[in-house]
């Protein structure tokens, strides 16, 4: 947990305080929604629906009624804001509007560092501090960019048979900068 998602964690731990016992959590892919939901389910015994925007109104409505009937909190996850869910049932629309809404914003530097370290630790690798400091000043701050850079650095490290160091970070970031320049032409 970092400052980037501290408010979300606080609300997930205080689910007893949720309006209508429902929280709608939105944020970009890779921002940790699913991992937070798993921890929430284990701690609260509540119900979760991942990619809620992709479900039919009636499915969400039945889950809402089930959660209320069983006196359990309900966590709805989506990469889309509720305004883009295309909800047609008036009763569901009003219930969702009255629920607590939280959005996971862009990652802060501590989150970016942690995500890189986690990505490489899973592969039995590390990323050097100078590589992290280089990237922090130059990369786009998004969960998608962290994932793309990590994958590119991993591929470059395998190709060159070298650890994830400053040279690998520069090469990986240069790859994305070159792509950006191609798009602008």
């Amino acid at each position: 947990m970092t400052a980037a998602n501290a408010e979300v964690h606080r609300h997930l731990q205080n689910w007893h305080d949720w309006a209508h016992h429902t929280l709608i959590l939105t944020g970009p892919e890779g921002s940790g929604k699913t991992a937070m939901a798993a921890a929430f389910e284990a701690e609260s015994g509540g119900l979760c629906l991942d990619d809620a925007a992709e479900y039919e109104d009636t499915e969400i409505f039945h889950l809402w009624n089930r959660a209320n009937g069983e006196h359990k909190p309900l966590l709805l996850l989506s990469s889309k804001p509720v305004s883009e869910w295309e909800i047609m049932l008036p009763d569901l629309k009003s219930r969702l509007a009255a629920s607590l809404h939280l959005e996971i914003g862009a990652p802060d530097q501590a989150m970016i560092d942690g995500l890189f370290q986690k990505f490489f630790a899973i592969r039995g690798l590390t990323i050097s501090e100078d590589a992290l400091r280089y990237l922090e000043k130059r990369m786009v701050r998004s969960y998608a960019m962290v994932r793309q850079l990590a994958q590119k650095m991993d591929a470059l490290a395998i190709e060159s048979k070298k650890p994830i160091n400053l040279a690998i970070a520069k090469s990986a970031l240069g790859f994305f900068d070159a792509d950006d320049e191609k798009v602008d032409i």
Side-chain angles (χ1 to χ4, degrees):
M1 176 177 67
T2 71
N5 60 11
E7 181 183 6
V8 172
H9 279 277
R10 182 175 57 79
H11 282 286
L12 288 173
Q13 292 173 342
N14 296 310
W15 54 270
H16 290 94
D17 299 333
W18 295 354
H20 304 285
H21 306 290
T22 302
L23 171 68
I24 301 168
L25 181 59
T26 59
E29 288 187 33
S31 60
K33 294 183 305 290
T34 302
M36 287 187 266
F40 162 77
E41 280 182 301
E43 292 174 20
S44 71
L47 303 175
C48 291
L49 185 61
D50 205 351
D51 295 326
E54 306 306 316
Y55 285 82
E56 296 290 325
D57 288 12
T58 54
E59 293 174 287
I60 299 170
F61 193 70
H62 288 308
L63 186 61
W64 176 289
N65 288 334
R66 179 179 157 214
N68 280 297
E70 296 175 9
H71 305 288
K72 292 183 176 184
L74 176 62
L75 178 60
L76 301 174
L77 308 171
S78 180
S79 57
K80 297 178 184 178
V82 177
S83 61
E84 296 176 15
W85 287 17
E86 299 180 20
I87 301 294
M88 302 306 289
L89 284 174
D91 286 347
L92 180 59
K93 195 178 276 192
S94 66
R95 284 177 170 90
L96 294 177
S99 299
L100 177 61
H101 294 235
L102 292 177
E103 180 179 0
I104 298 174
D108 59 13
Q109 193 56 48
M111 177 67 71
I112 289 171
D113 290 355
L115 290 171
F116 277 132
Q117 290 167 352
K118 178 181 175 184
F119 180 89
F120 293 119
I122 290 169
R123 288 155 180 74
L125 302 170
T126 59
I127 181 169
S128 69
E129 281 297 315
D130 58 340
L132 285 172
R133 299 300 66 90
Y134 176 82
L135 292 172
E136 103 180 19
K137 295 175 185 167
R138 294 164 179 85
M139 68 178 278
V140 172
R141 291 180 177 271
S142 75
Y143 296 97
M145 183 53 72
V146 170
R147 184 180 60 254
Q148 292 170 348
L149 274 171
Q151 290 170 342
K152 186 63 178 173
M153 287 187 286
D154 190 28
L156 290 170
I158 290 169
E159 183 181 300
S160 66
K161 298 180 181 158
K162 294 184 179 176
I164 312 294
N165 57 24
L166 180 57
I168 296 285
K170 285 181 179 181
S171 294
L173 192 59
F175 175 81
F176 291 102
D177 288 343
D179 278 356
D180 290 343
E181 290 171 15
K182 290 176 190 169
V183 171
D184 292 338
I185 293 176

